[in-house]
Amino acid sequence: MSVNKKVKRVTTHVIQAMKTRGEKISMLTAYDYSMARIIDEAGIDIILVGDSASNVMAGHETTLPITLDEMIYHASSVIRAVKRCLVVVDLPFGSYQGNSTEALASTIKIMKQSGAHAVKLEGGSEIQESITRILSAGVPVMGHLGLTPQSIYKFGTYTVRAKEEEEAKKLIEDAQMLEKVGCFAIVLEKIPAHLAEKVTAAVNIPIIGIGAGPHTDGQVLVTHDLLGITKDFAPRFLRRYRDLFTEIKGAVQEYIEDVKSKDFPNEKEQY
Ligand code: KIV
């Protein structure tokens, strides 16, 4: 099934309806105007302005350093490009973990200053109060369970989460809690496919997987990974659709060569 052209504007209700009728949900990251424009025109359902911008855009080792103001800068650039898809923005590390007042204040700042449509927060029962507070302000919330990169120093590694029964049980309970309080969707990152299948069946809201197998209601990837712009990241779950690192490098090398050899600009490329 390809892009649903009948949908003029993707809302959280459209996303819910997709789960109900069994249509898979497509989601990708974007952090700037030009990329968001291409992705939106291609027909994506959801753009995530992910805090992976910390790695992909700024070159940090983790997602922890990116600030609320930097996320707003990325999100407002994306919003200016988008005509059709739903835009969800990550609340960055340190902008919501303190308490629910802080979480609401950060959300309001994102919504007011970027024009985004929804926010995403990492975690389960520990942040229930914050999620409830944000939802009560009328802002749609996407949950994020499994591997939550903002907690990387607690986990110690980026390996598959919830392989043990106790963690898997908590993950299912957390997903049910997120549905109960009113989240419109949940991202499940890097967990066993059979567990993701169980979670997807256990809740009525859409489950969007990354490294969580084929049974979720949708899939998300980091755009720069699937385009092969990032080079050093090659987890098993990643399908690379292009090798743009090599493509772009080749184009830049040609340009350098043309400048050095005085081939560029030619007669037609001047005034
Ligand atoms: O920040 C991000 O890009 C994400 C996705 C990996 C789901 O949270």
Side-chain angles (χ1 to χ4, degrees):
M1 198 186 298
S2 55
V3 176
N4 188 340
K5 297 235 171 70
K6 280 194 209 136
V7 175
K8 296 281 175 252
R9 189 92 229 191
V10 181
T11 63
T12 56
H13 303 278
V14 169
I15 296 298
Q16 179 62 58
M18 289 169 77
K19 169 154 183 152
T20 308
R21 66 172 177 270
E23 178 183 339
K24 294 277 185 183
I25 299 158
S26 61
M27 173 160 138
L28 281 175
T29 58
Y31 321 108
D32 67 358
Y33 174 86
S34 305
M35 189 69 88
R37 189 158 171 215
I38 298 169
I39 295 173
D40 185 52
E41 268 194 41
I44 204 80
D45 298 312
I46 306 175
I47 283 183
L48 172 66
V49 183
D51 59 359
S52 50
S54 180
N55 313 95
V56 176
M57 292 282 106
H60 292 297
E61 208 173 297
T62 71
T63 58
L64 275 65
I66 199 161
T67 66
L68 187 58
D69 285 334
E70 286 165 343
M71 288 303 295
I72 290 169
Y73 168 78
H74 288 299
S76 47
S77 307
V78 166
I79 281 289
R80 283 192 284 274
V82 160
K83 292 199 169 72
R84 179 181 178 275
C85 71
L86 184 76
V87 177
V88 181
V89 181
D90 265 336
L91 282 187
F93 178 69
S95 73
Y96 64 98
Q97 286 89 349
N99 54 56
S100 61
T101 309
E102 179 188 52
L104 181 60
S106 301
T107 301
I108 289 176
K109 195 170 172 194
I110 287 187
M111 300 300 284
K112 266 189 185 294
Q113 294 186 15
S114 75
H117 310 137
V119 293
K120 175 163 84 58
L121 285 74
E122 293 184 6
S125 53
E126 4 14 273
I127 55 161
Q128 178 173 351
E129 194 189 317
S130 294
I131 292 174
T132 306
R133 190 104 188 249
I134 295 167
L135 287 163
S136 70
V139 178
V141 174
M142 176 180 271
H144 184 154
L145 300 172
L147 176 66
T148 46
Q150 291 179 12
S151 305
I152 184 57
Y153 292 121
K154 181 175 120 194
F155 296 146
T157 71
Y158 287 102
T159 51
V160 179
R161 302 303 312 171
K163 277 170 96 181
E164 306 303 328
E165 203 175 312
E166 202 180 320
E167 197 182 339
K169 187 169 164 279
K170 174 164 179 352
L171 193 144
I172 295 174
E173 285 165 5
D174 277 343
Q176 286 169 329
M177 178 279 291
L178 291 177
E179 173 179 34
K180 195 159 167 229
V181 297
C183 287
F184 76 93
I186 302 170
V187 165
L188 284 187
E189 181 164 355
K190 227 171 171 188
I191 63 165
H194 67 84
L195 176 60
E197 183 175 17
K198 237 181 178 177
V199 178
T200 305
V203 297
N204 291 310
I205 55 172
I207 298 293
I208 301 174
I210 172 163
H215 307 294
T216 54
D217 302 301
Q219 298 291 331
V220 54
L221 284 176
V222 169
T223 299
H224 288 65
D225 295 337
L226 85 85
L227 292 178
I229 296 174
T230 47
K231 241 179 125 59
D232 308 323
F233 184 68
R236 190 201 303 189
F237 68 76
L238 174 62
R239 184 177 294 180
R240 278 201 203 283
Y241 287 82
R242 295 288 186 277
D243 177 7
L244 287 196
F245 187 100
T246 307
E247 276 290 310
I248 295 170
K249 188 173 156 192
V252 171
Q253 283 170 332
E254 275 179 46
Y255 166 75
I256 294 169
E257 187 50 41
D258 288 352
V259 170
K260 301 279 180 195
S261 67
K262 302 181 187 152
D263 178 77
F264 176 80
N266 65 22
E267 270 175 26
K268 287 192 206 143
E269 293 161 335
Q270 56 183 280
Y271 298 99

